Amino acid sequence: ALSTDGEDGPAPAPPSSPPPPYRQPAAPVAVGVLMPAAPAQPPAAHQPSTQSPSMQEPCTFSTLVDAYILTIGLGLFGGHWFYLGRPRWGLLYLCTAGLLGVGWAIDILRVPHLVHRAQTSFGDEPNGDADLGDLWVLTLCPLTGLVLGAPHWRLGRARWAAMHVLTVGFLGIGWALDILRMPCLVHDYNAAARLRRNAAALSGEDVETGPPRHSTLLASAKA
């Protein structure tokens, strides 16, 4: 007979512990082999702001209202351009009475676009992308588009600009065609500028200022 006090009976089995979790073996590391360290990233160069102090603030209703007031009140003298941080256009309007009133009338309709562009992109940088609205304003004004060929000067087409000056916009026919084909001219200019900037970034060289030339575009395409 088994004892009831538990001294002669079998000892209870210990509780079973769960199996240890599976761990994937580490990859063997060769002794004496040093792993190359990641190259240190150079600190980003500080880009000076090209915006006017008023345009460094976020776009608000009051900013838009101020731009409208300056455009309507002092637009013929380029007041809104100075406010938007684009003094070259301001001087142009000051000397030509708002491009004979044509540019002033168009700017009243595109004030929101001008404010947005002043806060998100460069102003009058010579190497910046051309704005289609700006080029259309220069083209529609008879003084700058027909007589002076200003859109072609802006797009780096010096020969076409000189021919416009000597022939009064090819007797008006070339001026009319420029109004229709201006989107294509601006697209080609901006595409060439991007190619040049990308090529300069890959080679580590500084992007030269001024409008892109056709030779630069061909050299970038061959590279």
Side-chain angles (χ1 to χ4, degrees):
L2 298 177
S3 175
T4 58
D5 55 3
E7 295 180 356
D8 298 333
S16 59
S17 59
Y22 174 75
R23 296 181 180 180
Q24 185 177 3
V29 180
V31 179
V33 178
L34 298 178
M35 300 298 294
Q41 297 293 336
H46 175 68
Q47 297 291 341
S49 176
T50 58
Q51 300 173 355
S52 61
S54 58
M55 287 295 101
Q56 295 179 5
E57 302 175 357
C59 182
T60 58
F61 179 75
S62 60
T63 303
L64 191 61
V65 171
D66 293 342
Y68 266 116
I69 293 175
L70 290 174
T71 304
I72 297 175
L74 300 175
L76 284 174
F77 308 103
H80 60 297
W81 289 115
F82 290 107
Y83 174 73
L84 296 174
R86 305 184 65 183
R88 296 181 182 180
W89 278 83
L91 292 175
L92 178 63
Y93 273 46
L94 184 61
C95 297
T96 60
L99 295 180
L100 305 181
V102 177
W104 171 62
I106 297 177
D107 288 346
I108 295 177
L109 302 178
R110 64 184 192 125
V111 165
H113 169 72
L114 295 178
V115 172
H116 174 73
R117 184 168 182 261
Q119 293 179 329
T120 57
S121 62
F122 296 102
D124 290 335
E125 289 296 319
N127 195 54
D129 290 345
D131 184 77
L132 180 59
D134 295 347
L135 269 298
W136 253 331
V137 170
L138 291 176
T139 307
L140 291 174
C141 177
L143 176 62
T144 54
L146 176 64
V147 180
L148 300 179
H152 293 284
W153 292 112
R154 172 63 179 88
L155 296 176
R157 298 161 56 90
R159 295 180 181 178
W160 281 87
M163 286 189 290
H164 265 257
V165 173
L166 296 176
T167 61
V168 193
F170 293 95
L171 302 179
I173 298 177
W175 176 49
L177 293 177
D178 286 344
I179 297 176
L180 300 178
R181 69 188 185 124
M182 190 53 60
C184 298
L185 296 178
V186 173
H187 177 271
D188 294 342
Y189 174 89
N190 291 338
R194 294 189 189 99
L195 280 178
R196 187 180 58 168
R197 288 195 297 265
N198 293 338
L202 292 176
S203 61
E205 299 176 356
D206 294 334
V207 182
E208 73 174 20
T209 57
R213 303 179 184 273
H214 296 287
S215 59
T216 307
L217 175 59
L218 294 177
S220 303
K222 292 180 180 179

